Amino acid sequence: MTEVVSENSEVTVLLVDDNPQNLKVLYETLKDKGYRLLIANEGEKALDLAHRHHPEVILLDIMMPEMDGYEVCERLKADPETADIAVVFLSALDDLQAKVKGFSLGGADYISKPFQSLEVIARVKTHARVIRLERELQARNRELQGDQTRILDSISEGIYGLDENGLIEFANPAAAAIAGRPVEDLIGKCFFDLHFATADECRDSLPVMATCNKGVPEHQRDIQMLRVDGSSFPAEYRATPKLDGDELHGAVVVFHDITAELESEKALEEARELVQEQRDQLAHTSRLTTMGEMAAGFAHEVNQPLTAISNYARVSKRMMAKDEPDLELLGETLDKIDAQSHRASEIIRRIRRFMKKPATGKEELSVPELLEDTRQFAEVDMRNNEGGIEVRVDDDLPGILADPIQVQQVALNLIRNALEATRSAGSSQPVEVSARRCGEQCVRVEVRDHGVGVPEEAEDKLFHPFYTTKEDGMGIGLATCRSLMQAQGGDIGYQRPEEGDGACFWFVLPIAGAEGAPCTPDEA
């Protein structure tokens, strides 16, 4: 007899007994408890129902003809599809050996006949809840494993799970694609022998070996790994130890081919070098332009000592033509020729130094000397603009680390702009150049004029390429200055003066020997 007596999909209970009276008692006991009840009166039918309906609990009589309860339980537990069912044995046998045998075959519990209703209800409820929770947990685990598999399969980086000897226990599709062999062919292979040419030589120093043997995490980039066909590729990998508490069980290795990354990095470095070369060329062109603008003034500067030298030379010749030349006066005249020659030489030296392309690398510079040299260089502009330059430097100002040519180019550009702005406003006040320490890492240089100032709408655009407030300007001077300052690890900017008119431009440069990040606008 086989009968479905209740339809409740939450929990299914299978009642198995060859005695109809016992089945009736069990049915009456459980019928109002919300279970879906199945009934079987012999072993084969019980197995059939168990396979078709997968009940959570089976109340199973031991003493049945043809196939007893022990054999039914043994066959249920031998089948993975029914192995998780809670089998509760029913028997009038009350000896210890019968119970031990039932438990040894996988039984979950034991109820003695005659039945006590409350006991049956309690035991069924407990085992049903346990099995239901276990099945929900197993379903969730399968779902998580499925999610994990999909995630690992979708990752573009290769992933290996290794045991403590480096044997591959797991490989995702990306690892197989990189290695050049199907996943199933990788399982059981030695990671070290598969991927490293020196595996037979210095084995202890191989990548990932310390992670497998000692549990030490590793991360290396640009190491050479082998594919199955013997070809090599540059790789980056991270190795993490597999731990169960304090027990080491191997490593998880995540790796990828960085051939394309290295090519991109090389192309980027070449692009940076090209940009730097173009920046240097632009800066040099800017200096040539500045020199062209100042050429007439420098010609006048050089012509003055040359004219003086010529005059002193003629005087010396006349003195030497006398019968008794005044040797003391002649010596003084020759000293004057030497002084004027030195003056012309110094002018030419400054021009040549400003014109040359800077050598690679930076050097420690004295800020007072650098600004004084720049002030002298700007004397031509002072005369042309009928202005003056005042230099103020704090005492004990530390040296800066920068390229002197590029820093002088920036300072000269700001000073010349300030002189022009002061003249355009009809002011007679000198341009103020000051330098002070700024924080622990930087020196700040300011150039303040008393000209017409900068319109508010122009402040944010001053350092943009090709933007200018001058009628005949090209708009590359300040943009070049910013590029040069940033290349020196510094910065440059504009601020509206707190008092009076005019404009104030500043730049900051790192102090020689200071540790930390380059100067930033916040430090200005």
Side-chain angles (χ1 to χ4, degrees):
M1 176 178 81
T2 302
E3 181 184 356
V4 177
V5 296
S6 177
E7 289 295 329
N8 188 319
S9 60
E10 285 299 315
V11 173
T12 300
V13 179
L14 173 59
L15 311 177
V16 185
D17 199 311
D18 63 333
N19 187 327
Q21 185 61 35
N22 288 340
L23 288 177
K24 182 178 180 181
V25 172
L26 292 172
Y27 161 70
E28 292 294 336
T29 301
L30 299 172
K31 69 176 182 178
D32 296 326
K33 306 307 177 186
Y35 300 123
R36 177 173 179 248
L37 300 177
L38 306 176
I39 295 175
N41 61 354
E42 49 95 14
E44 285 292 349
K45 291 179 181 179
L47 292 173
D48 179 63
L49 285 174
H51 279 95
R52 287 195 288 124
H53 298 282
H54 296 92
E56 279 75 15
V57 180
I58 298 179
L59 297 182
L60 179 61
D61 184 29
I62 294 179
M63 304 302 292
M64 292 188 298
E66 297 184 9
M67 184 186 301
D68 63 17
Y70 292 136
E71 185 177 350
V72 172
C73 180
E74 188 172 12
R75 290 175 61 175
L76 287 170
K77 296 302 177 180
D79 189 336
E81 292 188 7
T82 57
D84 66 336
I85 299 173
V87 176
V88 179
F89 286 111
L90 306 172
S91 178
L93 298 176
D94 198 23
D95 62 47
L96 179 61
Q97 293 300 322
K99 293 181 179 180
V100 169
K101 182 176 181 180
F103 288 130
S104 68
L105 293 173
D109 208 344
Y110 198 102
I111 298 176
S112 298
K113 297 178 182 178
F115 311 128
Q116 298 295 322
S117 297
L118 292 179
E119 180 183 9
V120 171
I121 293 171
R123 292 179 186 267
V124 169
K125 181 178 180 181
T126 299
H127 291 295
R129 183 187 301 116
V130 170
I131 296 302
R132 174 62 70 183
L133 291 175
E134 286 181 352
R135 288 182 176 179
E136 289 176 355
L137 181 60
Q138 291 172 0
R140 181 57 179 158
N141 285 339
R142 287 192 296 271
E143 182 181 342
L144 291 175
Q145 289 174 355
D147 291 343
Q148 182 184 43
T149 300
R150 285 189 293 273
I151 291 171
L152 292 175
D153 288 350
S154 66
I155 291 176
S156 60
E157 293 181 306
I159 301 176
Y160 283 135
L162 310 180
D163 69 8
E164 58 272 20
N165 297 314
L167 298 181
I168 299 173
E169 297 178 323
F170 168 83
N172 72 337
I178 296 172
R181 179 177 288 186
V183 169
E184 55 271 19
D185 290 351
L186 295 174
I187 305 302
K189 298 294 188 298
C190 178
F191 168 79
F192 306 107
D193 294 336
L194 184 67
H195 285 297
F196 298 103
T198 58
D200 294 331
E201 302 169 8
C202 46
R203 204 169 184 83
D204 290 341
S205 62
L206 288 174
V208 189
M209 183 64 77
T211 308
C212 284
N213 294 342
K214 302 177 182 177
V216 179
E218 295 182 34
H219 175 210
Q220 289 193 55
R221 191 171 190 275
D222 199 8
I223 65 166
Q224 289 297 313
M225 293 181 66
L226 297 178
R227 298 184 181 89
V228 173
D229 62 7
S231 61
S232 65
F233 62 95
E236 178 179 12
Y237 79 88
R238 284 180 171 82
T240 305
K242 289 195 302 182
L243 296 173
D244 183 3
D246 295 331
E247 189 174 350
L248 180 63
H249 292 280
V252 174
V253 183
V254 180
F255 69 103
H256 66 283
D257 186 340
I258 60 171
T259 301
E261 289 181 26
L262 294 179
E263 291 175 352
S264 297
E265 289 172 5
K266 181 180 179 182
L268 181 59
E269 184 60 31
E270 290 174 351
R272 284 178 180 152
E273 291 175 358
L274 179 60
V275 168
Q276 183 60 46
E277 183 180 339
Q278 292 175 341
R279 178 189 287 130
D280 294 341
Q281 187 63 42
L282 179 61
H284 190 228
T285 301
S286 178
R287 289 196 295 277
L288 293 176
T289 301
T290 301
M291 193 53 57
E293 295 170 355
M294 301 172 70
F298 279 122
H300 177 72
E301 283 283 300
V302 175
N303 190 55
Q304 282 185 327
L306 291 180
T307 300
I309 289 171
S310 178
N311 291 336
Y312 288 137
R314 284 196 293 271
V315 170
S316 297
K317 288 180 65 176
R318 287 198 299 270
M319 293 172 64
M320 292 176 64
K322 294 180 180 182
D323 293 336
E324 295 182 5
D326 186 341
L327 297 180
E328 183 178 352
L329 181 59
L330 179 61
E332 292 176 359
T333 304
L334 292 175
D335 287 341
K336 291 179 180 179
I337 291 175
D338 180 64
Q340 292 299 322
S341 174
H342 180 75
R343 177 185 171 191
S345 175
E346 185 63 20
I347 294 170
I348 299 300
R349 182 190 66 82
R350 286 204 301 268
I351 294 173
R352 291 182 62 187
R353 189 173 60 192
F354 184 76
M355 292 289 290
K356 74 176 183 178
K357 289 187 176 181
T360 56
K362 303 171 185 177
E363 58 186 83
E364 185 172 346
L365 306 175
S366 166
V367 177
E369 291 180 8
L370 186 71
L371 294 180
E372 177 56 28
D373 199 28
T374 306
R375 187 197 67 78
Q376 293 179 18
F377 208 70
E379 286 181 352
V380 172
D381 286 281
M382 280 194 291
R383 283 192 295 272
N384 290 342
N385 291 284
E386 300 176 350
I389 302 174
E390 246 181 39
V391 178
R392 298 192 309 274
V393 179
D394 284 358
D395 295 335
D396 300 325
L397 193 66
I400 58 173
L401 186 66
D403 185 290
I405 305 301
Q406 294 188 350
V407 176
Q408 188 179 68
Q409 180 176 348
V410 173
L412 182 62
N413 188 298
L414 297 181
I415 290 172
R416 294 184 71 228
N417 287 347
L419 288 168
E420 292 177 8
T422 300
R423 184 191 64 180
S424 65
S427 174
S428 60
Q429 296 188 63
V431 170
E432 301 166 9
V433 181
S434 61
R436 60 179 173 82
R437 185 164 186 153
C438 181
E440 295 297 320
Q441 299 181 352
C442 300
V443 167
R444 176 180 172 116
V445 177
E446 293 183 358
V447 178
R448 164 77 189 277
D449 66 57
H450 297 276
V452 295
V454 177
E456 287 189 18
E457 63 273 13
E459 290 183 12
D460 294 336
K461 307 174 185 177
L462 286 172
F463 295 93
H464 291 187
F466 309 113
Y467 177 81
T468 180
T469 57
K470 300 179 183 178
E471 292 184 2
D472 57 348
M474 295 179 61
I476 62 172
L478 289 178
T480 300
C481 288
R482 166 162 285 181
S483 177
L484 293 177
M485 283 295 99
Q486 291 175 343
Q488 302 301 313
D491 207 346
I492 188 170
Y494 164 82
Q495 70 179 41
R496 186 172 294 277
E498 296 180 1
E499 297 180 359
D501 52 10
C504 179
F505 286 84
W506 56 263
F507 62 85
V508 289
L509 285 167
I511 293 172
E515 297 181 357
C519 298
T520 64
D522 293 337
E523 295 174 295

